[in-house]
Amino acid sequence: SLHSMIHQMLKNSPLKEWYDSMKSVPTFTTLAKQIQTPLFIYQGMDDAQIRWSDVLYDSSFIPGLRATHFYSGLGHCFSPMT
């Protein structure tokens, strides 16, 4: 399968060191729970790289969150999507 081919490639290539280091990175939820400073999140709803629904879900893990604002019609880096 494609998954096993990619996994095999990562185990036996110059990418192995990078792949191993990525496996040791804490999960987003673990890191997010450590954010204690006030945080405001601004997100374009038409972002092709980061879905606003994912941002909304992920923000629920941040204790320091003060507000989230979503902007319709704006994409990544608040670029107009017209």
Side-chain angles (χ1 to χ4, degrees), residues 1-20:
S1 74
L2 179 60
H3 180 270
S4 61
M5 288 172 27
I6 292 171
H7 187 70
Q8 190 65 31
M9 179 188 71
L10 291 173
K11 286 173 46 177
N12 300 316
S13 76
L15 297 175
K16 181 183 181 338
E17 187 176 323
W18 169 82
Y19 178 64
D20 289 343

Side-chain angles (χ1 to χ4, degrees), residues 7-73:
H7 187 70
Q8 190 65 31
M9 179 188 71
L10 291 173
K11 286 173 46 177
N12 300 316
S13 76
L15 297 175
K16 181 183 181 338
E17 187 176 323
W18 169 82
Y19 178 64
D20 289 343
S21 72
M22 292 304 292
K23 292 189 297 184
S24 68
V25 173
T27 64
F28 173 80
T29 54
T30 299
L31 295 174
K33 291 176 183 178
Q34 297 173 15
I35 299 172
Q36 299 299 318
T37 59
L39 182 67
F40 296 83
I41 296 176
Y42 304 95
Q43 176 70 28
M45 294 183 78
D46 295 331
D47 191 325
Q49 297 180 35
I50 304 168
R51 293 184 309 199
W52 70 269
S53 57
D54 290 340
V55 172
L56 184 60
Y57 174 77
D58 289 346
S59 67
S60 69
F61 297 102
I62 303 171
L65 183 66
R66 296 295 181 261
T68 54
H69 296 281
F70 297 98
Y71 298 92
S72 181

